[in-house]
Amino acid sequence: MSAAHEARLKLKGTDMKYMLLIHTRESDYAEMSKAEGEKRTGAYMAYAQAMQKAGVIRAGDRLKPVSTASTVRVSNGKTKVLDGPYAETKEQLGGYFIIEVPDLDEALSWAAKCPGASHGAIEVRPIWEM
């Protein structure tokens, strides 16, 4: 995002909210040992605690597997509900954090510290509040 674009989104003197979308392969969790799963969960808990200590976290949760998802579309006035996610991808949205920080650089810094960055990808998106 350009500095000019970020400046338009940001109110003078306020921090911006960003959503850190955690994309990982669900199959990795099914294949890991209990000890590996506990280690990964511990890493996420430590990460969330660090964000809480820094005062930047506003929300965050894990998502249930994509097998529990539903996709809704409305076409020509008719609602269609599909089981599962819309797109088949290697990585699935597994969770998110909402943080409030001064700028994109700070959001990117927090994203790089997320455990998911080492085994997936963290998408950083500014929140456009309504």
Side-chain angles (χ1 to χ4, degrees):
M1 173 185 326
S2 73
H5 183 72
E6 186 167 339
R8 284 193 301 271
L9 291 176
K10 186 174 179 176
L11 298 174
K12 188 174 183 178
T14 63
D15 287 345
M16 285 187 63
K17 288 183 184 171
Y18 291 88
M19 182 172 272
L20 309 181
L21 300 152
I22 305 164
H23 297 274
T24 60
R25 288 176 13 117
E26 280 185 6
S27 60
D28 287 352
Y29 288 93
E31 297 167 1
M32 70 177 59
S33 70
K34 181 178 179 181
E36 289 172 319
E38 289 172 353
K39 182 178 177 183
R40 191 171 284 184
T41 298
Y44 275 102
M45 297 303 285
Y47 176 66
Q49 287 173 350
M51 287 192 295
Q52 188 170 25
K53 186 176 180 181
V56 301
I57 191 168
R58 298 297 173 260
D61 275 307
R62 296 182 291 184
L63 298 176
K64 296 224 179 215
V66 295
S67 61
T68 66
S70 297
T71 300
V72 177
R73 292 183 168 272
V74 177
S75 179
N76 296 321
K78 293 184 180 181
T79 301
K80 296 178 185 175
V81 179
L82 305 171
D83 290 336
Y86 172 67
E88 289 291 324
T89 61
K90 289 182 184 179
E91 297 174 335
Q92 294 79 35
L93 179 60
Y96 70 92
F97 290 100
I98 296 176
I99 60 173
E100 191 167 348
V101 294
D103 54 38
L104 179 60
D105 288 339
E106 179 95 6
L108 294 173
S109 175
W110 279 106
K113 295 173 191 173
C114 181
S118 66
H119 56 82
I122 310 302
E123 179 183 349
V124 178
R125 307 248 327 244
I127 294 178
W128 193 354
E129 295 193 58
M130 299 172 67

